[in-house]
Amino acid sequence: NEKKKSKGSRSPCSPSRVLHIRQIPSGVTGAEVISLGLPFGKVTNLLMLRGKAMYWLQAFLEMASVDAAVSMVNYYSPTTPLIHNQPVYIQYSNYKELRTDNQHNQPRPQAALQGVNAVQHGNPGITSALAAEGGVLPSHGSVLRIIVENVFYPVTLDMLYQIFSKFGFVLKIVMFHKNNQFQALLQYADATNAYYAKMSLDGHSVYNGCCTLRIDFSKLTNLTVKYNNDKSRDFTRIDLPFGDGQRTVETSLSTPFATQNTIFPSYTGPPGFAPALGFPQGAALGSLTVTTSAAPGHMTIPGIPANSVLLVSNLNPEAITPYGLFILFGVYGDVHRVKIMFKKRGIALVQMADASQAQLAINYLNGQKLYGRVMHATLSKYQTIQLPREGQEDKGLTKDYSNSPLHRFKNPCSKNFQNIFPPSATLHLSNIPPSVTVDDLKNLFTSKGSTVKGFKFFQKDCKMALIQLGSVEEAVHALIELHNHDFGENQHLRVSFSKSTI
């Protein structure tokens, strides 16, 4: 038996680096469970147990840090992970750490763990450590075949490179169309990396509801790439020509490609090594920066550049305030600091709690109209916003909100994680006192310059309502003005964007 003691009582929602994973189908291996945590940081321990029903397993997965565990829970809350096509459920454990002194009861998970840690430290010679998993690794090569289904937004070679680089050194990529499907072949330096990439990414959608990855192992053992262009790339050879884009792979894959006008620069780092993007702590959701201009979708693959400070430009200097940016960007994450530039009032910096929230805010707010101007949001070169020194002239343009009670995502169990929607003309209102009528609310919104097109209380809960305004821009302004509006007696209105219409 494993001897584990819980240190004091903990609520189930209190973050811990130990995660409890339940309803795992029988036959699932330790390596498959570990692959759930792999994108978010180092996995330091694993304990697998038989569930109450004989055909379910449960597991305790220990991450190296609480931040990594929080990232993992936040990522999987809105998108329940599947193993063997069955949903599995992840929550914080009551345990602060796992003590698995009696390791002979858990030989397979421990062998898998050793293998994972070797992968994460870039050691390619580790397949033997994973042989205890049932000899699954030596039976396939290092080349993956990727089919992208429901391609609503363009998927580029650089996007695939950034996504798959999280799991090891990508050597070569070839993209083509076959049987009216978008496909790619991708070769890793090592078969183990291919295994973990398949385990972690198969079935994931690059964007919400579209560009779904279907991944299996290719029969090919080595890809031959003749040209470095936007359809094929050999990252170990920067000397290859760009080519005419007509035929980029050996005749075994003979697929004519249309010539593209865009020339992506080849990666020119050390041969076979990915650029140092790494998995930041706290990165769970969000879009890779290469895609933000190409597609307004919300990318859902784990692993993104680790900057949490946004550069927001083309703002209306007459109307914008630090508080307004705090409330608006606070719909997509917890805003810690805001700085409007002293000499250029149309530019601001917004510091989010982590990189994933920063990326969410870019996805939803870049290109949104605010006070008559189309706002631009991108990642800043700064890692943090400095507060003004004492005596430094600032005119209240830099504000610290790190301890604000208005943060929507402080509680990792909050339903707000599941209710993140793009700006829309319909707003969801909640925390409405019983004394407040339809007319009161309509008049409140009209007094702030909104045109009320529709209104309805929720049948089951009259503390909540939907209100439809004249435009998305009107709704954005109303949310900034009226979120946290005080009805008196400590009753504050909560406003968010709705996916519904009236």
Side-chain angles (χ1 to χ4, degrees), residues 231-298:
K231 294 290 183 209
S232 66
R233 197 85 53 85
D234 183 337
F235 295 96
T236 67
R237 301 213 22 217
I238 58 173
D239 57 313
L240 292 178
F242 183 74
D244 61 2
Q246 290 301 311
R247 191 63 61 86
T248 62
V249 283
E250 291 295 279
T251 49
S252 62
L253 295 167
S254 57
T255 311
F257 296 118
T259 306
Q260 299 287 328
N261 296 325
T262 315
I263 299 178
F264 289 102
S266 293
Y267 169 64
T268 55
F273 284 80
L277 287 171
F279 271 108
Q281 297 298 352
L285 286 168
S287 112
L288 298 164
T289 46
V290 298
T291 68
T292 49
S293 59
H298 159 202

Side-chain angles (χ1 to χ4, degrees), residues 431-436 484-493:
N431 214 29
I432 303 166
S435 58
V436 173
N484 202 43
H485 172 78
D486 190 354
F487 288 115
E489 295 181 28
N490 209 20
Q491 300 264 5
H492 291 83
L493 181 67

Side-chain angles (χ1 to χ4, degrees), residues 424-426 451 453 468-476:
S424 60
T426 306
T451 315
K453 293 282 185 75
Q468 190 171 336
L469 304 181
S471 67
V472 175
E473 189 182 4
E474 269 190 29
V476 169

